[in-house]
Amino acid sequence: MSNSPSVLVTGGAGFLGSHLCDALLGEGYSVIAVDNLLTGRISNLEHLRNDGRFKFQQIDINEPFDCGRVEYVFHFASPASPVDYSIHGVETLKVGSFGTFNALDLARKYGAKYLVSSTSECYGDPLEHPQKETYWGHVNSIGPRSVYDEAKRFTEAVTMAYHRYYNVDTRIARIFNTYGPRMQINDGRVIPNFMKQALRGENLTIYGDGGQTRSFCYVSDEIDGFLRLAKSSEHLPVNIGNPTEFTILDCAKLVLAVTGSKSKIRHEALPQDDPKQRCPDISKAKALFSWEPRINLETGLKLSLEYFRKMTQEELQSRA
Ligand code: UDP
């Protein structure tokens, strides 16, 4: 590793973690990425293999670990799609609890700054709309999504406790739906599903009537938000998401338009506890560090198209 200051990214082989590694290298840091590769993929880091300022370690952060002195800990390790966290429910709860303690202990040991990825799922199926950081949420603590929602709410609680009791210099990003290259094609989330289905000419599966809403942030905007939050001194949670809200039906229509696909729409059962609406109030991020997203959904889908096309083709070839 070179003499540039070192930062750690847990979950560094994941969708957001790997983009964050790129951005931090771009900012001049040396980066250590750790990941147990449960849902992350080493191929997301392939392009960094020969970068002397980058190092990858396959470890499980649920066990205490020490990657050496770092100046910043970015704790991004967790399954994050509803399909992944329902398959890996216990692992999700463990990384949100044991993994978070271990990441915070490392930050405390080295006096490092710390930023953790939290989620709009802290708001559950929200009764306040759009969601401000001051909203406490409407979460089912025992439903199918609880393994993720409560893991992240616990993560926030531990993070605030290390800040209050041990004076660790912490930050909490509440992430809303984010999309772009390096998402797993089969992680079950709505944009990979719709893109894959549209590109294959299959029906787009809309769960329920498609009237539920989400607000989609393109990955480069999201990462820019993390970097700005990382440089700020705000310890309470900050929403980082795109405030333009779409129904899932409108999202499907946009995917059809961007891909030029003739696919039709098929309705399937709505999963239990699927939030009816979700939209961030980002006035806090705007006021604190002048952040707002710049890439709208149509542009972001166009920017992602080649990636999803390639992934769809690779998947078809691997089956042949
Ligand atoms: N969804 C859908 N079809 C799909 C995948 C998801 O209609 O093939 C819906 C899902 O029910 C939810 C929204 O799209 O209302 C976003 O789902 P996703 O899994 O991307 O993330 P969530 O926001 O629920 O965590």
Side-chain angles (χ1 to χ4, degrees):
M1 299 290 272
S2 71
N3 290 329
S4 41
S6 283
V7 299
L8 169 70
V9 179
T10 75
F15 164 49
L16 291 180
S18 65
H19 281 285
L20 185 59
C21 289
D22 289 344
L24 291 165
L25 288 163
E27 296 263 306
Y29 293 100
S30 292
V31 176
I32 305 166
V34 299
D35 203 299
N36 66 354
L37 301 181
L38 181 68
T39 58
R41 289 174 305 155
I42 199 71
S43 58
N44 287 339
L45 299 171
E46 187 59 37
H47 60 290
L48 300 177
R49 185 206 280 264
N50 297 319
D51 189 325
R53 289 182 299 128
F54 180 73
K55 193 163 90 178
F56 173 73
Q57 289 176 353
Q58 184 175 348
I59 59 167
D60 181 357
I61 64 159
N62 294 337
E63 301 296 329
F65 68 100
D66 190 347
C67 59
R69 176 170 294 280
V70 288
E71 293 200 352
Y72 219 117
V73 173
F74 291 87
H75 179 34
F76 275 65
S78 179
S81 83
V83 166
D84 281 343
Y85 64 67
S86 66
I87 295 170
H88 304 293
V90 172
E91 291 86 345
T92 303
L93 283 160
K94 283 188 176 170
V95 77
S97 50
F98 302 125
T100 300
F101 275 114
N102 291 331
L104 279 160
D105 282 337
L106 197 86
R108 186 177 176 211
K109 174 174 178 182
Y110 291 119
K113 295 180 179 186
Y114 176 93
L115 186 152
V116 66
S117 59
S118 184
T119 171
S120 56
E121 286 288 318
C122 288
Y123 304 123
D125 188 4
L127 303 178
E128 179 181 303
H129 195 73
Q131 294 81 54
K132 286 195 189 71
E133 291 86 348
T134 45
Y135 178 51
W136 287 0
H138 179 231
V139 177
N140 178 356
S141 64
I142 54 167
R145 297 176 86 99
S146 66
V147 290
Y148 185 65
D149 300 8
E150 297 297 359
K152 288 295 187 181
R153 284 162 71 97
F154 185 76
T155 294
E156 290 197 358
V158 188
T159 300
M160 288 309 299
Y162 270 57
H163 174 63
R164 292 192 177 112
Y165 297 109
Y166 298 146
N167 212 18
V168 177
D169 192 0
T170 58
R171 287 144 198 84
I172 299 172
R174 284 199 184 140
I175 302 172
F176 286 66
N177 296 63
T178 307
Y179 68 100
R182 299 190 200 156
M183 292 185 95
Q184 294 179 72
I185 190 93
N186 288 322
D187 80 359
R189 281 189 270 204
V190 66
I191 289 190
N193 269 11
F194 285 176
M195 291 294 262
K196 181 176 68 177
Q197 290 159 345
L199 291 168
R200 285 189 190 159
E202 294 170 357
N203 292 335
L204 270 57
T205 51
I206 291 194
Y207 304 157
D209 64 6
Q212 70 271 37
T213 68
R214 294 294 186 272
S215 307
F216 299 98
C217 191
Y218 188 65
V219 62
S220 60
D221 280 333
E222 190 72 29
I223 300 289
D224 177 43
F226 299 154
L227 293 183
R228 288 175 191 240
L229 173 60
K231 288 173 194 152
S232 84
S233 52
E234 177 64 17
H235 302 300
L236 295 171
V238 182
N239 289 339
I240 307 285
N242 190 315
T244 309
E245 191 179 358
F246 287 82
T247 65
I248 293 304
L249 185 59
D250 283 340
C251 173
K253 288 180 183 161
L254 207 50
V255 168
L256 291 177
V258 166
T259 53
S261 169
K262 304 241 169 338
S263 290
K264 302 271 177 292
I265 278 164
R266 185 177 84 225
H267 290 273
E268 291 191 357
L270 190 66
Q272 190 192 328
D273 295 343
D274 197 278
K276 285 180 261 321
Q277 52 185 1
R278 191 184 281 160
C279 181
D281 179 321
I282 59 162
S283 36
K284 187 170 177 184
K286 269 189 196 164
L288 284 177
F289 41 83
S290 309
W291 178 80
E292 64 183 314
R294 280 177 277 174
I295 297 179
N296 66 28
L297 183 55
E298 185 179 352
T299 307
L301 290 174
K302 286 181 181 160
L303 290 170
S304 312
L305 185 57
E306 271 324 298
Y307 168 78
F308 284 115
R309 206 190 291 282
K310 187 163 169 272
M311 288 296 115
T312 305
Q313 278 162 359
E314 278 179 15
E315 200 194 39
L316 285 177
Q317 278 159 7
S318 71
R319 283 196 200 161

PDB file of all heavy atoms in Angstrom, residues 180-206:
ATOM      1  N   GLY A 180     -28.191   0.952 -10.626  1.00  0.00           N
ATOM      2  CA  GLY A 180     -27.117   1.256 -11.570  1.00  0.00           C
ATOM      3  C   GLY A 180     -26.270   0.032 -11.840  1.00  0.00           C
ATOM      4  O   GLY A 180     -26.563  -1.064 -11.339  1.00  0.00           O
ATOM      5  N   PRO A 181     -25.208   0.188 -12.639  1.00  0.00           N
ATOM      6  CA  PRO A 181     -24.314  -0.927 -12.935  1.00  0.00           C
ATOM      7  C   PRO A 181     -23.764  -1.555 -11.657  1.00  0.00           C
ATOM      8  O   PRO A 181     -23.538  -0.863 -10.670  1.00  0.00           O
ATOM      9  CB  PRO A 181     -23.192  -0.268 -13.752  1.00  0.00           C
ATOM     10  CG  PRO A 181     -23.834   0.943 -14.354  1.00  0.00           C
ATOM     11  CD  PRO A 181     -24.842   1.413 -13.357  1.00  0.00           C
ATOM     12  N   ARG A 182     -23.523  -2.859 -11.720  1.00  0.00           N
ATOM     13  CA  ARG A 182     -23.014  -3.730 -10.650  1.00  0.00           C
ATOM     14  C   ARG A 182     -24.099  -4.248  -9.724  1.00  0.00           C
ATOM     15  O   ARG A 182     -23.799  -4.974  -8.779  1.00  0.00           O
ATOM     16  CB  ARG A 182     -21.906  -3.075  -9.825  1.00  0.00           C
ATOM     17  CG  ARG A 182     -20.692  -2.729 -10.664  1.00  0.00           C
ATOM     18  CD  ARG A 182     -19.525  -2.307  -9.794  1.00  0.00           C
ATOM     19  NE  ARG A 182     -18.572  -1.566 -10.575  1.00  0.00           N
ATOM     20  CZ  ARG A 182     -17.702  -0.700 -10.095  1.00  0.00           C
ATOM     21  NH1 ARG A 182     -17.635  -0.500  -8.792  1.00  0.00           N
ATOM     22  NH2 ARG A 182     -16.889  -0.058 -10.893  1.00  0.00           N
ATOM     23  N   MET A 183     -25.364  -3.870  -9.937  1.00  0.00           N
ATOM     24  CA  MET A 183     -26.404  -4.579  -9.183  1.00  0.00           C
ATOM     25  C   MET A 183     -26.408  -6.013  -9.674  1.00  0.00           C
ATOM     26  O   MET A 183     -26.145  -6.277 -10.848  1.00  0.00           O
ATOM     27  CB  MET A 183     -27.792  -3.997  -9.485  1.00  0.00           C
ATOM     28  CG  MET A 183     -27.994  -2.626  -8.976  1.00  0.00           C
ATOM     29  SD  MET A 183     -29.685  -2.089  -9.263  1.00  0.00           S
ATOM     30  CE  MET A 183     -30.435  -2.510  -7.692  1.00  0.00           C
ATOM     31  N   GLN A 184     -26.723  -6.925  -8.787  1.00  0.00           N
ATOM     32  CA  GLN A 184     -26.843  -8.315  -9.246  1.00  0.00           C
ATOM     33  C   GLN A 184     -28.110  -8.443 -10.071  1.00  0.00           C
ATOM     34  O   GLN A 184     -29.168  -7.991  -9.644  1.00  0.00           O
ATOM     35  CB  GLN A 184     -26.990  -9.242  -8.055  1.00  0.00           C
ATOM     36  CG  GLN A 184     -25.803  -9.321  -7.164  1.00  0.00           C
ATOM     37  CD  GLN A 184     -26.138 -10.267  -6.037  1.00  0.00           C
ATOM     38  OE1 GLN A 184     -26.221 -11.465  -6.242  1.00  0.00           O
ATOM     39  NE2 GLN A 184     -26.351  -9.739  -4.857  1.00  0.00           N
ATOM     40  N   ILE A 185     -27.968  -9.089 -11.195  1.00  0.00           N
ATOM     41  CA  ILE A 185     -29.102  -9.223 -12.108  1.00  0.00           C
ATOM     42  C   ILE A 185     -30.250 -10.036 -11.475  1.00  0.00           C
ATOM     43  O   ILE A 185     -31.413  -9.846 -11.794  1.00  0.00           O
ATOM     44  CB  ILE A 185     -28.630  -9.839 -13.452  1.00  0.00           C
ATOM     45  CG1 ILE A 185     -29.722  -9.778 -14.502  1.00  0.00           C
ATOM     46  CG2 ILE A 185     -28.104 -11.229 -13.313  1.00  0.00           C
ATOM     47  CD1 ILE A 185     -29.664  -8.582 -15.347  1.00  0.00           C
ATOM     48  N   ASN A 186     -29.873 -10.916 -10.537  1.00  0.00           N
ATOM     49  CA  ASN A 186     -30.896 -11.779  -9.921  1.00  0.00           C
ATOM     50  C   ASN A 186     -31.165 -11.445  -8.458  1.00  0.00           C
ATOM     51  O   ASN A 186     -31.553 -12.319  -7.695  1.00  0.00           O
ATOM     52  CB  ASN A 186     -30.476 -13.250 -10.024  1.00  0.00           C
ATOM     53  CG  ASN A 186     -30.593 -13.736 -11.452  1.00  0.00           C
ATOM     54  OD1 ASN A 186     -31.541 -13.358 -12.151  1.00  0.00           O
ATOM     55  ND2 ASN A 186     -29.643 -14.532 -11.898  1.00  0.00           N
ATOM     56  N   ASP A 187     -30.940 -10.203  -8.064  1.00  0.00           N
ATOM     57  CA  ASP A 187     -31.158  -9.922  -6.637  1.00  0.00           C
ATOM     58  C   ASP A 187     -32.626  -9.649  -6.323  1.00  0.00           C
ATOM     59  O   ASP A 187     -32.986  -9.419  -5.177  1.00  0.00           O
ATOM     60  CB  ASP A 187     -30.224  -8.832  -6.113  1.00  0.00           C
ATOM     61  CG  ASP A 187     -30.670  -7.424  -6.439  1.00  0.00           C
ATOM     62  OD1 ASP A 187     -31.710  -7.243  -7.090  1.00  0.00           O
ATOM     63  OD2 ASP A 187     -29.966  -6.489  -6.025  1.00  0.00           O
ATOM     64  N   GLY A 188     -33.461  -9.663  -7.374  1.00  0.00           N
ATOM     65  CA  GLY A 188     -34.909  -9.585  -7.152  1.00  0.00           C
ATOM     66  C   GLY A 188     -35.451  -8.180  -7.041  1.00  0.00           C
ATOM     67  O   GLY A 188     -36.660  -7.983  -6.957  1.00  0.00           O
ATOM     68  N   ARG A 189     -34.550  -7.183  -7.034  1.00  0.00           N
ATOM     69  CA  ARG A 189     -35.063  -5.825  -6.910  1.00  0.00           C
ATOM     70  C   ARG A 189     -35.735  -5.389  -8.198  1.00  0.00           C
ATOM     71  O   ARG A 189     -35.499  -5.944  -9.270  1.00  0.00           O
ATOM     72  CB  ARG A 189     -33.935  -4.863  -6.516  1.00  0.00           C
ATOM     73  CG  ARG A 189     -33.660  -4.983  -5.038  1.00  0.00           C
ATOM     74  CD  ARG A 189     -32.725  -3.924  -4.557  1.00  0.00           C
ATOM     75  NE  ARG A 189     -31.363  -4.375  -4.653  1.00  0.00           N
ATOM     76  CZ  ARG A 189     -30.371  -3.884  -3.914  1.00  0.00           C
ATOM     77  NH1 ARG A 189     -30.608  -2.924  -3.046  1.00  0.00           N
ATOM     78  NH2 ARG A 189     -29.145  -4.339  -4.051  1.00  0.00           N
ATOM     79  N   VAL A 190     -36.533  -4.350  -8.070  1.00  0.00           N
ATOM     80  CA  VAL A 190     -37.442  -4.047  -9.163  1.00  0.00           C
ATOM     81  C   VAL A 190     -36.701  -3.647 -10.448  1.00  0.00           C
ATOM     82  O   VAL A 190     -37.072  -4.105 -11.539  1.00  0.00           O
ATOM     83  CB  VAL A 190     -38.503  -3.002  -8.726  1.00  0.00           C
ATOM     84  CG1 VAL A 190     -37.903  -1.643  -8.412  1.00  0.00           C
ATOM     85  CG2 VAL A 190     -39.592  -2.895  -9.746  1.00  0.00           C
ATOM     86  N   ILE A 191     -35.663  -2.835 -10.349  1.00  0.00           N
ATOM     87  CA  ILE A 191     -35.029  -2.385 -11.602  1.00  0.00           C
ATOM     88  C   ILE A 191     -34.264  -3.510 -12.292  1.00  0.00           C
ATOM     89  O   ILE A 191     -34.468  -3.722 -13.496  1.00  0.00           O
ATOM     90  CB  ILE A 191     -34.220  -1.089 -11.374  1.00  0.00           C
ATOM     91  CG1 ILE A 191     -35.269   0.019 -11.148  1.00  0.00           C
ATOM     92  CG2 ILE A 191     -33.274  -0.785 -12.542  1.00  0.00           C
ATOM     93  CD1 ILE A 191     -34.820   1.416 -11.129  1.00  0.00           C
ATOM     94  N   PRO A 192     -33.419  -4.295 -11.592  1.00  0.00           N
ATOM     95  CA  PRO A 192     -32.818  -5.443 -12.298  1.00  0.00           C
ATOM     96  C   PRO A 192     -33.871  -6.395 -12.871  1.00  0.00           C
ATOM     97  O   PRO A 192     -33.720  -6.867 -14.002  1.00  0.00           O
ATOM     98  CB  PRO A 192     -31.982  -6.147 -11.221  1.00  0.00           C
ATOM     99  CG  PRO A 192     -31.792  -5.150 -10.155  1.00  0.00           C
ATOM    100  CD  PRO A 192     -32.911  -4.160 -10.228  1.00  0.00           C
ATOM    101  N   ASN A 193     -34.930  -6.652 -12.102  1.00  0.00           N
ATOM    102  CA  ASN A 193     -35.966  -7.552 -12.625  1.00  0.00           C
ATOM    103  C   ASN A 193     -36.583  -7.001 -13.907  1.00  0.00           C
ATOM    104  O   ASN A 193     -36.663  -7.701 -14.925  1.00  0.00           O
ATOM    105  CB  ASN A 193     -37.086  -7.729 -11.591  1.00  0.00           C
ATOM    106  CG  ASN A 193     -36.839  -8.911 -10.678  1.00  0.00           C
ATOM    107  OD1 ASN A 193     -35.761  -9.476 -10.668  1.00  0.00           O
ATOM    108  ND2 ASN A 193     -37.840  -9.276  -9.896  1.00  0.00           N
ATOM    109  N   PHE A 194     -37.012  -5.750 -13.879  1.00  0.00           N
ATOM    110  CA  PHE A 194     -37.679  -5.173 -15.056  1.00  0.00           C
ATOM    111  C   PHE A 194     -36.719  -5.077 -16.244  1.00  0.00           C
ATOM    112  O   PHE A 194     -37.099  -5.373 -17.385  1.00  0.00           O
ATOM    113  CB  PHE A 194     -38.229  -3.772 -14.735  1.00  0.00           C
ATOM    114  CG  PHE A 194     -39.481  -3.744 -13.891  1.00  0.00           C
ATOM    115  CD1 PHE A 194     -40.026  -2.532 -13.468  1.00  0.00           C
ATOM    116  CD2 PHE A 194     -40.139  -4.921 -13.535  1.00  0.00           C
ATOM    117  CE1 PHE A 194     -41.185  -2.492 -12.699  1.00  0.00           C
ATOM    118  CE2 PHE A 194     -41.300  -4.891 -12.755  1.00  0.00           C
ATOM    119  CZ  PHE A 194     -41.818  -3.669 -12.339  1.00  0.00           C
ATOM    120  N   MET A 195     -35.483  -4.687 -15.999  1.00  0.00           N
ATOM    121  CA  MET A 195     -34.526  -4.554 -17.108  1.00  0.00           C
ATOM    122  C   MET A 195     -34.280  -5.926 -17.752  1.00  0.00           C
ATOM    123  O   MET A 195     -34.302  -6.066 -18.976  1.00  0.00           O
ATOM    124  CB  MET A 195     -33.198  -3.959 -16.614  1.00  0.00           C
ATOM    125  CG  MET A 195     -33.285  -2.517 -16.186  1.00  0.00           C
ATOM    126  SD  MET A 195     -33.665  -1.381 -17.550  1.00  0.00           S
ATOM    127  CE  MET A 195     -32.049  -0.782 -17.960  1.00  0.00           C
ATOM    128  N   LYS A 196     -34.057  -6.914 -16.907  1.00  0.00           N
ATOM    129  CA  LYS A 196     -33.794  -8.271 -17.415  1.00  0.00           C
ATOM    130  C   LYS A 196     -35.006  -8.784 -18.197  1.00  0.00           C
ATOM    131  O   LYS A 196     -34.869  -9.298 -19.312  1.00  0.00           O
ATOM    132  CB  LYS A 196     -33.500  -9.187 -16.215  1.00  0.00           C
ATOM    133  CG  LYS A 196     -33.195 -10.606 -16.551  1.00  0.00           C
ATOM    134  CD  LYS A 196     -32.825 -11.399 -15.307  1.00  0.00           C
ATOM    135  CE  LYS A 196     -34.011 -11.567 -14.377  1.00  0.00           C
ATOM    136  NZ  LYS A 196     -33.697 -12.385 -13.193  1.00  0.00           N
ATOM    137  N   GLN A 197     -36.189  -8.600 -17.625  1.00  0.00           N
ATOM    138  CA  GLN A 197     -37.407  -9.101 -18.290  1.00  0.00           C
ATOM    139  C   GLN A 197     -37.627  -8.367 -19.619  1.00  0.00           C
ATOM    140  O   GLN A 197     -37.926  -8.989 -20.648  1.00  0.00           O
ATOM    141  CB  GLN A 197     -38.613  -8.912 -17.357  1.00  0.00           C
ATOM    142  CG  GLN A 197     -38.569  -9.851 -16.154  1.00  0.00           C
ATOM    143  CD  GLN A 197     -39.426  -9.386 -14.973  1.00  0.00           C
ATOM    144  OE1 GLN A 197     -39.851  -8.230 -14.910  1.00  0.00           O
ATOM    145  NE2 GLN A 197     -39.672 -10.281 -14.031  1.00  0.00           N
ATOM    146  N   ALA A 198     -37.435  -7.040 -19.601  1.00  0.00           N
ATOM    147  CA  ALA A 198     -37.655  -6.253 -20.829  1.00  0.00           C
ATOM    148  C   ALA A 198     -36.660  -6.680 -21.906  1.00  0.00           C
ATOM    149  O   ALA A 198     -37.026  -6.861 -23.077  1.00  0.00           O
ATOM    150  CB  ALA A 198     -37.506  -4.767 -20.522  1.00  0.00           C
ATOM    151  N   LEU A 199     -35.404  -6.893 -21.512  1.00  0.00           N
ATOM    152  CA  LEU A 199     -34.373  -7.234 -22.504  1.00  0.00           C
ATOM    153  C   LEU A 199     -34.554  -8.646 -23.057  1.00  0.00           C
ATOM    154  O   LEU A 199     -34.122  -8.951 -24.157  1.00  0.00           O
ATOM    155  CB  LEU A 199     -32.978  -7.065 -21.882  1.00  0.00           C
ATOM    156  CG  LEU A 199     -32.598  -5.600 -21.608  1.00  0.00           C
ATOM    157  CD1 LEU A 199     -31.357  -5.505 -20.723  1.00  0.00           C
ATOM    158  CD2 LEU A 199     -32.366  -4.836 -22.915  1.00  0.00           C
ATOM    159  N   ARG A 200     -35.219  -9.497 -22.303  1.00  0.00           N
ATOM    160  CA  ARG A 200     -35.477 -10.867 -22.782  1.00  0.00           C
ATOM    161  C   ARG A 200     -36.823 -10.996 -23.471  1.00  0.00           C
ATOM    162  O   ARG A 200     -37.199 -12.091 -23.883  1.00  0.00           O
ATOM    163  CB  ARG A 200     -35.502 -11.821 -21.587  1.00  0.00           C
ATOM    164  CG  ARG A 200     -34.161 -12.136 -21.036  1.00  0.00           C
ATOM    165  CD  ARG A 200     -34.380 -13.241 -20.051  1.00  0.00           C
ATOM    166  NE  ARG A 200     -33.207 -13.498 -19.270  1.00  0.00           N
ATOM    167  CZ  ARG A 200     -33.234 -14.109 -18.086  1.00  0.00           C
ATOM    168  NH1 ARG A 200     -34.379 -14.489 -17.566  1.00  0.00           N
ATOM    169  NH2 ARG A 200     -32.135 -14.332 -17.446  1.00  0.00           N
ATOM    170  N   GLY A 201     -37.602  -9.910 -23.475  1.00  0.00           N
ATOM    171  CA  GLY A 201     -38.938  -9.970 -24.066  1.00  0.00           C
ATOM    172  C   GLY A 201     -39.930 -10.731 -23.200  1.00  0.00           C
ATOM    173  O   GLY A 201     -40.968 -11.194 -23.685  1.00  0.00           O
ATOM    174  N   GLU A 202     -39.617 -10.870 -21.909  1.00  0.00           N
ATOM    175  CA  GLU A 202     -40.559 -11.539 -20.989  1.00  0.00           C
ATOM    176  C   GLU A 202     -41.488 -10.508 -20.360  1.00  0.00           C
ATOM    177  O   GLU A 202     -41.187  -9.310 -20.345  1.00  0.00           O
ATOM    178  CB  GLU A 202     -39.773 -12.238 -19.862  1.00  0.00           C
ATOM    179  CG  GLU A 202     -38.915 -13.381 -20.360  1.00  0.00           C
ATOM    180  CD  GLU A 202     -37.959 -13.901 -19.279  1.00  0.00           C
ATOM    181  OE1 GLU A 202     -37.925 -13.345 -18.168  1.00  0.00           O
ATOM    182  OE2 GLU A 202     -37.233 -14.861 -19.595  1.00  0.00           O
ATOM    183  N   ASN A 203     -42.598 -11.003 -19.804  1.00  0.00           N
ATOM    184  CA  ASN A 203     -43.512 -10.085 -19.119  1.00  0.00           C
ATOM    185  C   ASN A 203     -42.834  -9.441 -17.915  1.00  0.00           C
ATOM    186  O   ASN A 203     -42.089 -10.095 -17.188  1.00  0.00           O
ATOM    187  CB  ASN A 203     -44.745 -10.842 -18.606  1.00  0.00           C
ATOM    188  CG  ASN A 203     -45.613 -11.331 -19.736  1.00  0.00           C
ATOM    189  OD1 ASN A 203     -45.586 -10.767 -20.828  1.00  0.00           O
ATOM    190  ND2 ASN A 203     -46.381 -12.378 -19.487  1.00  0.00           N
ATOM    191  N   LEU A 204     -43.128  -8.147 -17.696  1.00  0.00           N
ATOM    192  CA  LEU A 204     -42.620  -7.471 -16.502  1.00  0.00           C
ATOM    193  C   LEU A 204     -43.544  -7.807 -15.336  1.00  0.00           C
ATOM    194  O   LEU A 204     -44.759  -7.622 -15.434  1.00  0.00           O
ATOM    195  CB  LEU A 204     -42.577  -5.945 -16.717  1.00  0.00           C
ATOM    196  CG  LEU A 204     -41.278  -5.384 -17.304  1.00  0.00           C
ATOM    197  CD1 LEU A 204     -40.910  -6.014 -18.626  1.00  0.00           C
ATOM    198  CD2 LEU A 204     -41.363  -3.867 -17.445  1.00  0.00           C
ATOM    199  N   THR A 205     -42.959  -8.311 -14.250  1.00  0.00           N
ATOM    200  CA  THR A 205     -43.769  -8.755 -13.102  1.00  0.00           C
ATOM    201  C   THR A 205     -44.007  -7.580 -12.148  1.00  0.00           C
ATOM    202  O   THR A 205     -43.092  -7.133 -11.460  1.00  0.00           O
ATOM    203  CB  THR A 205     -43.025  -9.869 -12.338  1.00  0.00           C
ATOM    204  OG1 THR A 205     -41.688  -9.401 -12.062  1.00  0.00           O
ATOM    205  CG2 THR A 205     -42.954 -11.151 -13.132  1.00  0.00           C
ATOM    206  N   ILE A 206     -45.229  -7.100 -12.139  1.00  0.00           N
ATOM    207  CA  ILE A 206     -45.586  -6.045 -11.183  1.00  0.00           C
ATOM    208  C   ILE A 206     -46.279  -6.694  -9.999  1.00  0.00           C
ATOM    209  O   ILE A 206     -47.275  -7.405 -10.180  1.00  0.00           O
ATOM    210  CB  ILE A 206     -46.494  -4.987 -11.841  1.00  0.00           C
ATOM    211  CG1 ILE A 206     -45.669  -4.203 -12.859  1.00  0.00           C
ATOM    212  CG2 ILE A 206     -47.136  -4.084 -10.802  1.00  0.00           C
ATOM    213  CD1 ILE A 206     -46.308  -2.937 -13.349  1.00  0.00           C
TER     214      ILE A 206
END
